[in-house]
Amino acid sequence: MANYTAADIKALRERTGAGMMDVKKALDEADGDMEKAIEAIRVKGLKGAAKREGRSAVEGLVTAKVVNGTKGYLLEMNAETDFVAKSDKFVGLANKVLETAVAQDVDSVEALLEADVDGKPLADFVTEEGAVLGEKVVVRRLATVEGAAVDAYLHKTSKDLPAQVGVLFAVDADSEDARTAAHDIAVHAAAIVPSYLTRDEVPADLVENERRIAEETARAENKPEQAMPKIIEGRTNAYFKEHVLLDQPFAKDPKQSVAQVLQGSGAEAVGLARFRVGA
């Protein structure tokens, strides 16, 4: 009989997240050696990883960190089920991945997956951890934002799950007013869902299409010809107010635009990143 105790079984389950029978079998095969048992569990999990490749990883979390108040990192990690997504092991894995991004100062998923973790590429590390969790785990997105002051805001859409929405917002000033405005605007962006930071970021063909739709709609409504330019401009501006952060009415005071709130704080926007899990 293998030399292990009930306490060993409990400890191995806590370290790996594996089921009772899998833990007992691994300990039997390893003759009670904890490290060999962990290796056996991972090997068996990795054998099943190929089968998981075709599965959809649509649950997960968003996490963020700001370094020295001036550079923010935003990460989305995905798993297959919300049960795993809210587990301590998955949350811990996401934190480890984020810490790696910060420590090695990478700004893309491609670079992050190649980063070294305990002597191996992070991609391999994540695959091994996914094997322990028994699900496909994906490092989906990473964004970085820099400025004189950067605010990070994470929002839970369900009290039982980790944050599902994350925002980084950066401004070019580091006053108290600027930092307060940056935080309020990050919260606003989490709720109101801007697609772009400024009008300049909206693709020209998309703007032209909106103007075309505005004109065709106005003509279908038999609007007078002399009013067309003003109508088209007004309806195009309405598009900007919906999709461009600086043009949006500020959530806490809709009489002001986000741009006006920033102007009042003495700051200008220099960066935005927003993730929602699965979106």
Side-chain angles (χ1 to χ4, degrees):
M1 182 175 178
N3 183 25
Y4 60 85
T5 66
D8 292 330
I9 294 172
K10 181 175 183 293
L12 188 55
R13 290 194 69 192
E14 289 175 351
R15 289 181 65 180
T16 66
M20 177 73 75
M21 296 307 297
D22 290 334
V23 163
K24 285 185 175 181
K25 188 172 181 180
L27 283 166
D28 284 335
E29 292 175 357
D31 197 26
D33 186 303
M34 185 71 72
E35 296 307 317
K36 287 184 178 179
I38 291 173
E39 183 177 335
I41 288 170
R42 287 193 163 186
V43 167
K44 289 177 181 177
L46 288 169
K47 286 180 180 177
K51 297 178 182 179
R52 291 191 291 273
E53 282 304 308
R55 298 182 189 171
S56 297
V58 294
E59 301 294 339
L61 60 78
V62 177
T63 186
K65 184 171 184 177
V66 177
V67 179
N68 298 325
T70 60
K71 184 166 186 177
Y73 297 77
L74 186 66
L75 172 75
E76 179 184 351
M77 288 276 293
N78 295 146
E80 294 177 48
T81 64
D82 59 3
F83 178 78
V84 165
K86 66 184 179 182
S87 69
D88 290 341
K89 284 191 70 66
F90 182 78
V91 173
L93 173 59
N95 289 335
K96 176 80 169 180
V97 173
L98 180 62
E99 288 167 8
T100 302
V102 173
Q104 302 190 32
D105 193 23
V106 295
D107 59 5
S108 71
V109 168
E110 292 76 17
L112 180 55
L113 292 175
E114 293 176 359
D116 180 81
V117 177
D118 302 333
K120 68 186 75 172
L122 181 131
D124 292 348
F125 174 76
V126 169
T127 298
E128 290 178 4
E129 293 299 309
V132 172
L133 289 165
E135 289 195 2
K136 181 179 180 180
V137 173
V138 175
V139 180
R140 184 177 180 220
R141 290 186 284 186
L142 174 71
T144 60
V145 166
E146 295 185 73
V150 177
D151 190 88
Y153 175 70
L154 299 173
H155 178 72
K156 287 188 173 187
T157 57
S158 168
K159 63 182 179 63
D160 298 323
L161 295 174
Q164 300 284 289
V165 179
V167 175
L168 295 174
F169 184 67
V171 294
D172 66 351
D174 189 26
S175 66
E176 183 176 350
D177 285 348
R179 289 192 300 272
T180 298
H183 175 70
D184 288 345
I185 292 168
V187 175
H188 164 102
I192 308 301
V193 199
S195 302
Y196 308 96
L197 176 58
T198 69
R199 291 190 180 196
D200 290 341
E201 293 181 2
V202 183
D205 58 342
L206 198 157
V207 175
E208 186 57 35
N209 189 56
E210 286 300 314
R211 296 182 67 85
R212 179 186 60 77
I213 292 171
E215 180 176 358
E216 290 179 1
T217 303
R219 293 191 185 283
E221 294 170 348
N222 295 317
K223 300 294 184 183
E225 190 64 33
Q226 64 270 26
M228 282 294 176
K230 189 173 182 179
I231 292 171
I232 294 169
E233 194 66 25
R235 291 181 176 178
T236 304
N237 285 337
Y239 173 85
F240 289 137
K241 286 182 180 180
E242 182 177 356
H243 295 280
V244 175
L245 177 62
L246 296 183
D247 283 76
Q248 289 179 333
F250 184 47
K252 290 177 68 175
D253 180 9
K255 292 181 180 179
Q256 295 189 83
S257 68
V258 170
Q260 289 172 324
V261 171
L262 273 177
Q263 185 177 19
S265 75
E268 293 186 7
V270 294
L272 169 72
R274 182 187 187 279
F275 294 163
R276 181 185 178 101
V277 170

